[in-house]
Amino acid sequence: MTAANALIQLAGLLASGGVRVVDLTATLGPETPLLKLPPEFAKDTPPVKIHKISEYDENGPFWAWNWLELGEHSGTHFDVPHHWITGRENPEGYTDTIDVQRLIAPVNVLDFSAECAADPDFLLTIDHVKAWEAKHGAIRAGEWVVLRSDWDRFNHDEALFLNANETGPHTPGPTAEVVQYLIDKGIVGWGSQCIGTDAGCAGGMTPPYPAHNLLHANNRFGLASLVNLDKLPAKGAILIAAPLKIKQGTGSPIRALALVAGS
Ligand code: 23J
Ligand code: MN
């Protein structure tokens, strides 16, 4: 099949529902949970604000529009390499310079939701990924990898979502070793259903925040606060994730979408 024919066929399948679009995005608004860094890093991202300009009123009789006040790393969002010091020298590492050809790619959905429910500090290891690959097939270069923790069930409540106590945040994520293992496979990026790409305890890992450190050192991307991964197959879906083209931006909220074969 030629590429032109493939696109025509895809368009037909989208129109008929033979291919379905799954929304992997949480609603972005004042209630959106935001990262709370340890107190030594005093500056956090501020709450999302949606300011009304007009809504068919004296400020605009026929139109409604808002202006937004929000951090780049708010809600369902994209991390580009310049977000981390290890990616700072990468000219393709900003939201306006990344290679968009890489953003639409097959997604491997690693379902460890049962393990995460049993242990909020669950860490994904190389052995977990090898066992997953033995069952579902190899993770290949150019593909996305996302950890299905089903943490989106807490997205409505910041305290539940961050799950922090006096010993810090308790949310699942990857080990440094598994991040490097996936980078070596050539993945385009790594996604999480938690507040960030790293585990809650990742500040104490070596290196600190290994998903951020290693992914962005190697020109790979991060996705955070994804929802609805339980609606995706382990393999076979295509993930579409693209940040706003912010000038020299470090990330942005996204509308993350997946294409899946209809049933
Ligand atoms: C800044 C510092 C630490 C972290 C993060 C941001 C994120 O998770 C993020 O949203 O990129 S862990
Ligand atoms: Mn981020």
Short mmCIF file of all heavy atoms in Angstrom, two decimals, residues 76-103:
data_model
loop_
_atom_site.label_atom_id
_atom_site.label_comp_id
_atom_site.label_asym_id
_atom_site.label_seq_id
_atom_site.Cartn_x
_atom_site.Cartn_y
_atom_site.Cartn_z
N THR A 76 -2.03 17.60 32.06
CA THR A 76 -1.49 16.67 31.07
C THR A 76 -0.53 17.47 30.19
O THR A 76 -0.95 18.40 29.49
CB THR A 76 -2.63 16.06 30.23
OG1 THR A 76 -3.56 15.44 31.11
CG2 THR A 76 -2.09 15.06 29.24
N HIS A 77 0.76 17.14 30.27
CA HIS A 77 1.74 18.03 29.62
C HIS A 77 2.96 17.28 29.11
O HIS A 77 3.16 16.11 29.39
CB HIS A 77 2.13 19.17 30.57
CG HIS A 77 3.08 18.78 31.67
ND1 HIS A 77 2.65 18.35 32.89
CD2 HIS A 77 4.44 18.79 31.74
CE1 HIS A 77 3.69 18.10 33.66
NE2 HIS A 77 4.80 18.36 32.98
N PHE A 78 3.73 18.03 28.34
CA PHE A 78 4.87 17.52 27.58
C PHE A 78 6.14 18.14 28.14
O PHE A 78 6.20 19.36 28.33
CB PHE A 78 4.65 17.94 26.12
CG PHE A 78 5.47 17.23 25.08
CD1 PHE A 78 4.84 16.38 24.16
CD2 PHE A 78 6.83 17.41 24.98
CE1 PHE A 78 5.59 15.74 23.18
CE2 PHE A 78 7.57 16.77 24.00
CZ PHE A 78 6.94 15.93 23.10
N ASP A 79 7.17 17.32 28.40
CA ASP A 79 8.49 17.82 28.81
C ASP A 79 9.45 17.71 27.63
O ASP A 79 9.64 16.61 27.08
CB ASP A 79 9.08 16.96 29.94
CG ASP A 79 8.36 17.06 31.27
OD1 ASP A 79 7.49 17.92 31.44
OD2 ASP A 79 8.71 16.25 32.17
N VAL A 80 10.07 18.80 27.25
CA VAL A 80 11.09 18.76 26.18
C VAL A 80 12.48 18.78 26.82
O VAL A 80 12.62 19.11 28.00
CB VAL A 80 10.91 19.92 25.17
CG1 VAL A 80 9.57 19.83 24.45
CG2 VAL A 80 11.11 21.27 25.81
N PRO A 81 13.52 18.43 26.05
CA PRO A 81 14.85 18.28 26.65
C PRO A 81 15.36 19.51 27.41
O PRO A 81 16.04 19.37 28.44
CB PRO A 81 15.73 17.96 25.44
CG PRO A 81 14.81 17.18 24.54
CD PRO A 81 13.48 17.89 24.68
N HIS A 82 15.04 20.72 26.95
CA HIS A 82 15.58 21.89 27.65
C HIS A 82 15.01 22.04 29.06
O HIS A 82 15.54 22.83 29.86
CB HIS A 82 15.34 23.17 26.85
CG HIS A 82 16.16 24.34 27.33
ND1 HIS A 82 17.51 24.47 27.06
CD2 HIS A 82 15.84 25.40 28.10
CE1 HIS A 82 17.97 25.56 27.64
NE2 HIS A 82 16.98 26.15 28.28
N HIS A 83 13.98 21.29 29.39
CA HIS A 83 13.41 21.33 30.75
C HIS A 83 14.45 20.96 31.80
O HIS A 83 14.39 21.42 32.93
CB HIS A 83 12.21 20.38 30.82
CG HIS A 83 11.57 20.29 32.16
ND1 HIS A 83 11.32 21.39 32.96
CD2 HIS A 83 11.11 19.22 32.86
CE1 HIS A 83 10.73 20.98 34.06
NE2 HIS A 83 10.61 19.67 34.05
N TRP A 84 15.41 20.10 31.41
CA TRP A 84 16.38 19.62 32.40
C TRP A 84 17.77 20.08 32.04
O TRP A 84 18.11 20.23 30.88
CB TRP A 84 16.32 18.09 32.49
CG TRP A 84 16.49 17.63 33.91
CD1 TRP A 84 17.59 17.05 34.46
CD2 TRP A 84 15.53 17.75 34.97
NE1 TRP A 84 17.37 16.79 35.79
CE2 TRP A 84 16.11 17.22 36.13
CE3 TRP A 84 14.23 18.27 35.05
CZ2 TRP A 84 15.45 17.19 37.36
CZ3 TRP A 84 13.57 18.24 36.26
CH2 TRP A 84 14.18 17.70 37.40
N ILE A 85 18.59 20.27 33.06
CA ILE A 85 19.95 20.80 32.85
C ILE A 85 20.76 19.89 31.93
O ILE A 85 21.62 20.36 31.18
CB ILE A 85 20.64 21.03 34.21
CG1 ILE A 85 21.96 21.78 34.03
CG2 ILE A 85 20.81 19.73 34.98
CD1 ILE A 85 22.54 22.31 35.34
N THR A 86 20.44 18.60 31.95
CA THR A 86 21.16 17.65 31.09
C THR A 86 20.82 17.84 29.61
O THR A 86 21.54 17.33 28.74
CB THR A 86 20.82 16.20 31.49
OG1 THR A 86 19.38 16.08 31.53
CG2 THR A 86 21.39 15.86 32.85
N GLY A 87 19.73 18.54 29.31
CA GLY A 87 19.33 18.75 27.93
C GLY A 87 19.51 20.19 27.48
O GLY A 87 19.08 20.57 26.39
N ARG A 88 20.20 20.97 28.29
CA ARG A 88 20.22 22.42 28.06
C ARG A 88 20.93 22.84 26.78
O ARG A 88 20.61 23.88 26.21
CB ARG A 88 20.86 23.13 29.26
CG ARG A 88 22.36 22.88 29.40
CD ARG A 88 22.89 23.35 30.73
NE ARG A 88 22.92 24.80 30.86
CZ ARG A 88 23.32 25.45 31.95
NH1 ARG A 88 23.72 24.78 33.02
NH2 ARG A 88 23.34 26.75 31.98
N GLU A 89 21.91 22.04 26.33
CA GLU A 89 22.69 22.45 25.14
C GLU A 89 22.06 21.97 23.83
O GLU A 89 22.61 22.20 22.76
CB GLU A 89 24.12 21.90 25.22
CG GLU A 89 24.89 22.28 26.47
CD GLU A 89 25.11 23.79 26.61
OE1 GLU A 89 24.99 24.52 25.59
OE2 GLU A 89 25.39 24.23 27.75
N ASN A 90 20.94 21.27 23.91
CA ASN A 90 20.35 20.66 22.71
C ASN A 90 19.57 21.71 21.92
O ASN A 90 18.54 22.20 22.39
CB ASN A 90 19.42 19.52 23.16
CG ASN A 90 18.77 18.81 22.01
OD1 ASN A 90 18.90 19.21 20.85
ND2 ASN A 90 18.05 17.74 22.31
N PRO A 91 20.03 22.05 20.72
CA PRO A 91 19.30 23.08 19.95
C PRO A 91 17.89 22.62 19.56
O PRO A 91 17.03 23.45 19.31
CB PRO A 91 20.18 23.31 18.72
CG PRO A 91 21.06 22.11 18.61
CD PRO A 91 21.23 21.57 20.01
N GLU A 92 17.66 21.30 19.51
CA GLU A 92 16.33 20.76 19.21
C GLU A 92 15.54 20.50 20.49
O GLU A 92 14.55 19.76 20.47
CB GLU A 92 16.44 19.44 18.44
CG GLU A 92 16.88 19.59 17.01
CD GLU A 92 16.67 18.31 16.21
OE1 GLU A 92 15.94 17.40 16.66
OE2 GLU A 92 17.25 18.22 15.12
N GLY A 93 15.98 21.09 21.59
CA GLY A 93 15.40 20.75 22.87
C GLY A 93 14.32 21.67 23.39
O GLY A 93 13.90 21.54 24.54
N TYR A 94 13.87 22.62 22.58
CA TYR A 94 12.83 23.55 23.01
C TYR A 94 11.49 23.20 22.34
O TYR A 94 11.47 22.54 21.30
CB TYR A 94 13.19 24.99 22.60
CG TYR A 94 14.47 25.53 23.18
CD1 TYR A 94 15.67 25.40 22.49
CD2 TYR A 94 14.47 26.19 24.40
CE1 TYR A 94 16.85 25.92 23.01
CE2 TYR A 94 15.63 26.72 24.93
CZ TYR A 94 16.83 26.58 24.23
OH TYR A 94 17.98 27.10 24.75
N THR A 95 10.42 23.71 22.93
CA THR A 95 9.11 23.43 22.35
C THR A 95 8.99 23.91 20.90
O THR A 95 8.23 23.33 20.13
CB THR A 95 7.98 24.09 23.18
OG1 THR A 95 8.40 25.40 23.55
CG2 THR A 95 7.68 23.29 24.44
N ASP A 96 9.73 24.94 20.54
CA ASP A 96 9.61 25.45 19.17
C ASP A 96 10.66 24.87 18.23
O ASP A 96 10.70 25.23 17.05
CB ASP A 96 9.67 26.98 19.13
CG ASP A 96 10.90 27.57 19.78
OD1 ASP A 96 11.52 26.92 20.64
OD2 ASP A 96 11.25 28.71 19.42
N THR A 97 11.52 23.97 18.73
CA THR A 97 12.57 23.41 17.85
C THR A 97 12.59 21.88 17.82
O THR A 97 13.41 21.30 17.12
CB THR A 97 13.97 23.92 18.27
OG1 THR A 97 14.23 23.49 19.61
CG2 THR A 97 14.07 25.43 18.17
N ILE A 98 11.71 21.21 18.57
CA ILE A 98 11.70 19.74 18.55
C ILE A 98 11.31 19.23 17.18
O ILE A 98 10.66 19.93 16.39
CB ILE A 98 10.76 19.15 19.62
CG1 ILE A 98 9.35 19.69 19.46
CG2 ILE A 98 11.30 19.39 21.01
CD1 ILE A 98 8.34 18.98 20.34
N ASP A 99 11.71 17.98 16.92
CA ASP A 99 11.43 17.32 15.64
C ASP A 99 10.01 16.75 15.69
O ASP A 99 9.77 15.73 16.34
CB ASP A 99 12.47 16.20 15.45
CG ASP A 99 12.21 15.38 14.20
OD1 ASP A 99 11.34 15.76 13.39
OD2 ASP A 99 12.88 14.33 14.05
N VAL A 100 9.07 17.40 15.01
CA VAL A 100 7.67 16.98 15.10
C VAL A 100 7.42 15.61 14.46
O VAL A 100 6.43 14.95 14.76
CB VAL A 100 6.70 18.03 14.51
CG1 VAL A 100 6.77 19.33 15.30
CG2 VAL A 100 6.97 18.27 13.03
N GLN A 101 8.32 15.18 13.59
CA GLN A 101 8.16 13.86 12.96
C GLN A 101 8.12 12.74 14.01
O GLN A 101 7.52 11.69 13.78
CB GLN A 101 9.34 13.61 12.01
CG GLN A 101 9.23 12.36 11.16
CD GLN A 101 8.26 12.51 9.98
OE1 GLN A 101 8.11 13.61 9.44
NE2 GLN A 101 7.61 11.43 9.60
N ARG A 102 8.72 12.98 15.15
CA ARG A 102 8.81 11.93 16.18
C ARG A 102 7.59 11.88 17.09
O ARG A 102 7.48 10.98 17.93
CB ARG A 102 10.06 12.18 17.04
CG ARG A 102 11.35 12.18 16.24
CD ARG A 102 12.52 12.74 17.06
NE ARG A 102 12.81 11.94 18.23
CZ ARG A 102 13.44 12.40 19.33
NH1 ARG A 102 13.81 13.67 19.37
NH2 ARG A 102 13.65 11.62 20.34
N LEU A 103 6.68 12.84 16.98
CA LEU A 103 5.65 13.00 18.01
C LEU A 103 4.47 12.06 17.85
O LEU A 103 3.70 11.88 18.79
CB LEU A 103 5.17 14.45 18.05
CG LEU A 103 6.25 15.50 18.29
CD1 LEU A 103 5.64 16.88 18.41
CD2 LEU A 103 7.07 15.17 19.53
#
